[in-house]
Amino acid sequence: MAQLALGLMAETVQASFRRLEPARYPILHHMTRDEIYGNGGWMAPGGLLLASILAEQLCLRPGHRVLDLGCGHGQSSLFLASRYGVSVVSLDL
């Protein structure tokens, strides 16, 4: 189990996250739980769901270019490139 800085267990923190309801978010039907919640890893819960919503709002299509500022480990960049066929330039500290 992962131990956080304040002595909280990662599982305790993740258990408090609001679960996303597929009925309210149809895009969830096309995503695995690990994609939605990042499997407790690199992104905040729902990060890829938000990236999907953003991609749909921007009407991303193969060949488009995306600048991902503050990309962290680049999970959303990889997701957008693989799911939508866009070219992504990722930048973080």
Side-chain angles (χ1 to χ4, degrees):
M1 291 187 195
Q3 186 81 21
L4 300 176
L6 298 176
L8 298 173
M9 300 303 290
E11 291 79 11
T12 303
V13 174
Q14 289 173 348
S16 70
F17 293 150
R18 176 179 57 88
R19 296 292 180 211
L20 299 172
E21 303 164 19
R24 289 186 63 196
Y25 303 96
I27 197 167
L28 292 178
H29 295 290
H30 304 291
M31 301 175 76
T32 68
R33 186 178 195 292
D34 285 347
E35 285 178 322
I36 295 167
Y37 291 103
N39 200 24
W42 299 351
M43 297 185 77
L48 294 184
L49 174 63
L50 295 175
S52 294
I53 292 169
L54 179 64
E56 295 297 323
Q57 292 294 314
L58 293 173
C59 300
L60 290 183
R61 301 290 177 255
H64 285 173
R65 292 184 292 173
V66 173
L67 176 60
D68 188 357
L69 294 174
C71 66
H73 291 278
Q75 187 177 10
S76 59
S77 299
L78 293 171
F79 171 77
L80 292 172
S82 65
R83 177 70 54 103
Y84 294 94
V86 298
S87 297
V88 183
V89 174
S90 305
L91 181 66
D92 205 304
L93 293 174

